[in-house]
Amino acid sequence: MQTATRFLVNPLPAPTLPPLDLVDDLRHRRLIAPDAQFQTLYGGRTNKVWKVLEGNGGKVLKLYRTGLRNPLFRNDAELEARCLTALEPTGFAPRLRAAGQHQNGRWVFYDHAPGTPWRKDTTDVALLLGKLHGLDVSVPAPRGCNGGADLARHGQSILDGCTSAMRHQLEQLKPDEQVQPTQQTCLIHGDPVAGNILVAPSGLTLIDWQCPAQGDPCEDIALFVSPAMQHLYRGSALTPEEEDQFLSSYRRADIVTRFKSLRRWYAWRMAAYCLWRIENGSPDYATGLELERAVLERS
């Protein structure tokens, strides 16, 4: 959820600098130059991220916040480091340079990926996710939700943390489709929103690998097409034409068919998550909640 340029919903906070002892540690390790400068990167909703300004294209320092309990998006620095290491040969993930522990939390240090956040052409994103889901890589990631029963439990656990009257309205919209788990699991990104996909002349790069899983590829598809996530990170939901283009370009008809059978479950869980965010101080999720409810009601 972090990189140089993102769609911004709220005014920018004041720039910050990394902890001085962490900067000294990076200098001692010769990861940064003695006179390195730091630029705060905005757009992420969880961690503190800086670009290290150097003559060789720059690096990114991400300092993970601790104590956060997000019910949908994991925030695991070790998993990000493992994924970046495993995916370095693919060319669509940043190259990891180092990772470590600081008193304020874990950190990762990797090459700054060129490009700007994705805005249009869903074909390229479909091909990127299809390539990821087809990889034979071994990353000890946790198991993701798989099938309707898993999504029902996960969505209800999120709603159990909500207290407003909307919780009961969403419980009444709970889907009843029975969709069995798939045996065709793979490494999934877990957060392929528009802000985590960088577009450059050299191709697309997936950043922010802090919540991957060994799971159903439909999870990544659902998160990308989610109208709430598109609204938050791009400013608008996909049009029907953009969504159709994405699904047809994914080139795995069996997985697309499975996603469609699970779509209402994913929308229901996302609506629950939007409500949880609203109740925990993020009113900008209100439009996303209504967009996901619309998917539930029209489906």
Side-chain angles (χ1 to χ4, degrees), residues 57-245:
K59 303 290 187 294
V60 170
L61 172 64
K62 182 190 294 186
L63 179 60
Y64 281 71
R65 293 177 61 190
T66 59
L68 296 175
R69 294 292 183 268
N70 188 299
L72 183 56
F73 297 105
R74 189 181 299 103
N75 191 40
D76 191 318
E78 291 187 40
L79 275 177
E80 175 151 29
R82 291 172 185 169
C83 286
L84 295 186
T85 299
L87 296 172
E88 180 178 344
T90 69
F92 59 70
R95 180 181 179 185
L96 180 71
R97 296 292 180 170
Q101 178 75 44
H102 181 262
Q103 62 181 359
N104 291 340
R106 299 191 67 86
W107 55 269
V108 293
F109 186 71
Y110 53 85
D111 287 354
H112 180 265
T116 57
W118 179 89
R119 290 290 178 268
K120 60 182 181 179
D121 194 349
T122 55
T123 296
D124 288 344
V125 180
L127 295 174
L128 175 68
L129 292 181
K131 183 177 180 181
L132 168 64
H133 298 157
L135 291 176
D136 183 14
V137 293
S138 178
V139 176
R143 186 181 70 87
C145 282
N146 190 348
D150 268 4
L151 289 166
R153 285 189 291 268
H154 194 188
Q156 188 61 54
S157 71
I158 297 172
L159 281 180
D160 287 345
C162 301
T163 59
S164 66
M166 178 60 69
R167 167 187 170 173
H168 303 293
Q169 295 182 36
L170 290 180
E171 286 176 335
Q172 293 175 355
L173 289 171
K174 184 176 181 178
D176 56 10
E177 293 90 340
Q178 302 296 313
V179 183
Q180 297 302 310
T182 178
Q183 299 300 314
Q184 298 180 347
T185 60
C186 61
L187 177 66
I188 61 173
H189 181 275
D191 189 17
V193 297
N196 287 340
I197 302 168
L198 301 183
V199 181
S202 57
L204 272 57
T205 302
L206 267 172
I207 62 170
D208 288 356
W209 288 85
Q210 64 252 22
C211 47
Q214 188 71 26
D216 187 342
C218 292
E219 182 97 359
D220 277 348
I221 293 173
L223 287 165
F224 177 74
V225 304
S226 161
M229 294 294 100
Q230 286 288 341
H231 172 75
L232 284 163
Y233 287 93
R234 188 177 73 144
S236 63
L238 297 177
T239 65
E241 293 76 18
E242 286 177 318
E243 184 176 310
D244 288 345
Q245 181 188 43

Side-chain angles (χ1 to χ4, degrees), residues 51 54 101 112-113 128 141 157 170 190 248-249 258 277 285 299:
K51 181 179 180 182
E54 295 180 332
Q101 178 75 44
H112 180 265
L128 175 68
S157 71
L170 290 180
S248 63
S249 300
R258 176 176 171 79
R277 290 302 302 255
Y285 278 76
S299 298

